[in-house]
Structures are given as C-alpha cells and as structure tokens.
C-alpha cells in the first residue's frame, strides 16, 4: 500500500505548488477525473494462514509422543502419529518381569481402567493462529498395532471421552475424532483392553498408536479476522501533512468530490473473503468517525470490486495525521483451505475533483 501513499502525495504536492504561489489574476477551473494505478500485490495462503502456528499447536496438543507431518496442500492436511504404549510399557502393565511376549498367554488384559484414565490429547487453549478454534468437519482416525508379524494376533478396544461425550473404538477400524476434538478440551483414554488372539514370538513387540488425519475443512459461525495493517500504519499522515501545512492541504482536499479505490483481483484461495477499509486517527490510535467500507471478495478470476471512500473526505481534512487501515476477514461459512491458491490484486485510485487554480502573469 506504500505506493498508494506516494502517488497520492505526489498528486497533492503538485496541486499545492500551483495554489501556494502568489498568483491571483487568472483563475482556471478544472473538473478532471484522475485514475491512478497504485500497486499490484500477490497474497499467498501462507501469508494469510501461518502453518507454523498450526504445527506448533498440534504438537503441543498431542504431546511429546506425537509426530506431526504435512500431508497435503489441497486441502491443507496434517497427519498425527501418536504413540500410546510401546512394547515394554505393555509388558510392564500386564506381565511384570517378563522379557518378551512369547510367554504371555492368549486372552484379554486391561491396560487402562476408568478409575485411572489417561489424558490422550490436551486441547484447552489450543488455537490455529488466526483461525482460532475452528470447527473441523471430520478427523479420520484409526487405532493401530505395529511391531508384530501378523496384525490379527492382537486386538485393541478402547474408550475415548471428554467431559460431555465418549466414543468406543477398536484397532484397525476408522472413526471420526472430530466431535471430541471440536470441544477443545481434554480427550481422555478412559479404558483400554488388549487381547492376544494368538501367542506372539520373542521378536514381536506390539506398539499401540493413534493415527489421525487433520484436513482443514471447517465451519465458522462469525467473522474471523485474518489480516490487518493496524500495526504497520506508523506515525505519518497518508498525505504527508504536518501541523504547519495541514490547512493548505485541507483546502486542496475541498476540491475532491469523490474518492474511490478499485481492486481488480483473482481469488484462487477457495475462501470467500471480506475486506474492510477504515479511516484511522494516527495520533489517537483509533478509528475516525466515518463508517468503515466493506466489500466482498468472492472466489474466481477476473473480478473487480470498488470501495467508495468519499465519506472519508471530511475525516481526511479534519484529522492530522490521517491514515487508512485495511482488514481482511473470513465471513461465516464452510471452508476448505487450498494452500496452492493466492489472492492477486491490482489497485487503482479514482478521484473526481473540482479545482479552481489561480494563475498570474508576471508584470512587465
């Protein structure tokens, strides 16, 4: 947006040079429409969504026994490999003192009971950067047993629960972890039973894992702010005004009848966005009195949207220093994050002016 400031400043300064001269005899009236290209920008999904925050949040939630891997960009998907019990931990629980599983009789054994449940996932306070606590559509998960020659030799049954609901799961059968995950609290391993359907060899050492796919397909029910430039506005006026020249430049602003910002764009992010433009009082670090202007940025290519900022003109004149704050929001809907997409913008300014420029010829 800096080029916007520079172009507009150049326009205002050039107008100021005409009007500040002591020339009074001839007055030329002009009613031009100025269309000024401002900038071209390409905003990737990685600019809007911090995937590093997502990985950190998942790693902290599933704990140190989990490995988080990136699996797909469309939709953005992460995989979690969570070790629950390794072979030695299972032996210590069901057959203390045994060196391997060959001497463990076939049959069921309790690994976890309801009076000593374990915290499996801790989601309290978990947020995915600007996405916050989104409601994920589905989290396919499977309880698996590795480290044995034949998976049919061992069967696991378990109960996962939160403070309000529970789910019975079995090894090798996919289930949806989403309803438990979306509570954003703790997920407990309430009970777990391991059943040996056949004798194991000395080389077998079963490890119990929970494998989870986390595709970022989700629903939100209120506006979600993805980006704002509030912290980047700085201390300067958008027109470069200072206290001593603000009155002169405000007189020039009187000649502006309309002030519009146009944006041509290609939106391949898969996200239906909203952009809000707000006048900003830099000194008070707060919005000006004019209402913000919001427009929709729909999905597709070759699109155009117009922001009519004419209502900002009085605030521009009366507030020094004055600036603009841009905010990108995600409105309520269902979404699927396509990290291969981008938002390509071309911004241009449309000014309608009614100027009276005094000019004097030199005395002979």
């Amino acid at each position: 947006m800096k080029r916007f400031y520079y172009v507009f400043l150049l326009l205002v300064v050039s107008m100021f040079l005409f009007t500040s001269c002591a020339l009074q005899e001839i007055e030329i009236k002009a009613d031009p429409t100025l269309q000024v290209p401002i900038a071209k920008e390409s905003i990737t999904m990685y600019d809007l969504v911090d995937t590093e925050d997502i990985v950190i949040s998942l790693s902290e939630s599933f704990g140190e026994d989990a490995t988080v891997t990136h699996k797909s960009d469309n939709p953005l998907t992460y995989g979690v490999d969570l070790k629950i019990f390794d072979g030695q931990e299972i032996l210590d629980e069901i057959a203390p003192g045994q060196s391997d599983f060959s001497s463990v009789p076939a049959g069921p054994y309790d690994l976890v009971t309801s009076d000593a449940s374990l915290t499996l996932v801790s989601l309290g306070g978990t947020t995915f950067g600007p996405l916050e606590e989104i409601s994920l559509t589905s989290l396919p998960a499977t309880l698996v047993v590795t480290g044995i020659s034949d998976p049919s030799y061992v069967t696991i049954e378990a109960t996962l629960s939160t403070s309000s609901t529970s789910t019975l799961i079995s090894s090798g059968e996919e289930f949806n972890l989403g309803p438990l995950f979306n509570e954003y609290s703790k997920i407990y391993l309430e009970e777990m039973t391991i059943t040996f359907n056949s004798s194991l060899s000395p080389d077998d050492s079963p490890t119990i894992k929970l494998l989870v796919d986390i595709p970022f397909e989700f629903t939100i029910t209120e506006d979600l702010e993805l980006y704002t430039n509030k912290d980047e506005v700085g201390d300067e006026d958008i027109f470069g005004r200072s206290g001593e020249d603000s009155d002169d430049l405000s007189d020039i602003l009187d000649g502006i009848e309309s002030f519009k910002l146009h944006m041509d764009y290609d939106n391949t992010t898969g996200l239906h966005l909203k952009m809000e433009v707000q006048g900003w009082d830099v000194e008070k670090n707060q919005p000006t009195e004019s209402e913000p202007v919001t427009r929709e940025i729909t999905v597709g290519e070759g699109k155009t949207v117009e922001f009519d900022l004419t209502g900002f003109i009085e605030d521009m004149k009366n507030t020094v220093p004055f600036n603009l704050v841009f905010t990108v929001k995600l409105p309520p809907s269902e979404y699927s994050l396509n990290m291969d997409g981008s938002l390509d913008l071309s911004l241009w300014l449309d000014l309608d002016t009614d100027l009276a420029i005094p000019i004097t010829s030199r005395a002979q």
Side-chain angles (χ1 to χ4, degrees):
M1 297 300 176
K2 286 186 178 179
R3 278 196 286 172
F4 162 71
Y5 306 154
Y6 298 152
V7 169
F8 204 94
L9 178 60
L10 180 62
L11 171 68
V12 172
V13 169
S14 63
M15 294 163 61
F16 176 65
L17 289 176
F18 276 111
T19 58
S20 60
C21 297
L23 309 175
Q24 303 173 356
E25 296 182 357
I26 303 174
E27 184 175 80
I28 298 178
K29 291 187 177 290
D31 187 16
T33 296
L34 303 176
Q35 295 183 341
V36 184
I38 299 171
K40 290 186 177 181
E41 302 287 344
S42 181
I43 303 172
T44 69
M45 282 297 298
Y46 288 94
D47 295 323
L48 295 176
V49 178
D50 191 339
T51 55
E52 184 177 344
D53 280 349
I54 293 176
V55 172
I56 291 172
S57 291
L58 291 175
S59 298
E60 291 177 347
S61 298
F62 282 88
E64 60 183 13
D65 290 325
T67 301
V68 179
T69 57
H70 174 257
K71 300 186 71 173
S72 172
D73 273 341
N74 186 19
L76 178 64
T77 303
Y78 287 92
V80 177
D81 183 328
L82 174 61
K83 178 183 73 68
I84 301 175
F85 291 114
D86 62 25
Q88 190 59 55
E89 290 169 332
I90 295 172
L91 269 181
D92 291 345
E93 184 67 32
I94 66 173
Q98 297 288 341
S99 60
D100 60 57
F101 286 87
S102 61
S103 58
V104 176
Y109 297 86
D110 289 335
L111 290 175
V112 179
T113 58
S114 58
D115 58 351
S117 60
L118 303 177
T119 300
L120 196 64
V121 186
S122 183
L123 295 164
T126 296
T127 60
F128 298 115
L131 296 178
E132 300 180 351
E133 294 184 358
I134 53 177
S135 179
L136 294 165
T137 303
S138 177
L139 276 72
T142 308
L143 196 64
V144 300
V145 181
T146 63
I148 54 178
S149 56
D150 188 337
S152 66
Y153 289 171
V154 175
T155 302
I156 308 294
E157 291 189 344
T159 300
L160 304 183
S161 67
T162 62
S163 58
S164 62
T165 188
S166 63
T167 299
L168 179 65
I169 62 176
S170 299
S171 56
E173 298 179 5
E174 185 178 293
F175 68 99
N176 181 13
L177 187 63
L180 301 179
F181 191 97
N182 288 333
E183 291 188 27
Y184 286 91
S185 59
K186 290 184 177 180
I187 299 177
Y188 298 99
L189 180 59
E190 196 76 23
E191 297 177 337
M192 177 173 279
T193 300
I194 183 169
T195 300
F196 295 96
N197 303 312
S198 179
S199 296
L200 302 185
S201 72
D203 294 330
D204 287 328
S205 182
T207 293
I208 304 171
K209 294 183 176 183
L210 181 65
L211 305 181
V212 186
D213 280 347
I214 304 178
F216 276 78
E217 298 174 318
F218 56 90
T219 301
I220 60 172
T221 57
E222 57 185 24
D223 282 353
L224 194 63
E225 183 178 299
L226 292 181
Y227 168 81
T228 181
N229 69 330
K230 285 181 183 178
D231 295 334
E232 303 169 9
V233 169
D235 300 327
E236 296 184 358
D237 181 74
I238 190 174
F239 306 115
R241 293 173 295 178
S242 59
E244 56 270 17
D245 62 9
S246 60
D247 289 341
D248 293 329
L249 290 174
S250 292
D251 289 341
I252 295 173
L253 290 176
D254 283 337
I256 299 177
E257 296 183 331
S258 74
F259 178 36
K260 296 177 182 179
L261 183 67
H262 297 263
M263 183 173 74
D264 300 330
Y265 67 90
D266 296 332
N267 180 11
T268 58
T269 65
L271 303 179
H272 183 106
L273 302 168
K274 292 197 298 187
M275 182 177 284
E276 178 183 281
V277 182
Q278 171 72 67
W280 195 255
D281 187 324
V282 175
E283 183 176 344
K284 295 180 180 179
N285 194 32
Q286 66 182 29
T288 57
E289 293 183 0
S290 54
E291 291 294 322
V293 178
T294 302
R295 293 292 181 267
E296 294 184 351
I297 305 176
T298 58
V299 176
E301 300 183 44
K303 304 269 188 172
T304 300
V305 65
E306 176 186 281
F307 297 85
D308 188 346
L309 306 183
T310 304
F312 288 13
I313 293 176
E314 287 301 312
D315 282 347
M316 291 176 187
K317 292 167 53 180
N318 300 328
T319 306
V320 181
F322 173 88
N323 220 306
L324 295 175
V325 165
F326 297 86
T327 303
V328 178
K329 296 181 178 181
L330 199 60
S333 189
E334 297 180 357
Y335 295 98
S336 176
L337 291 188
N338 173 17
M339 302 305 288
D340 295 327
S342 64
L343 180 61
D344 299 316
L345 311 175
S346 178
L347 302 174
W348 51 284
L349 189 65
D350 191 338
L351 294 170
D352 284 339
T353 63
D354 184 8
L355 304 175
I357 304 175
I359 299 177
T360 297
S361 60
R362 292 183 180 274
Q364 300 297 322

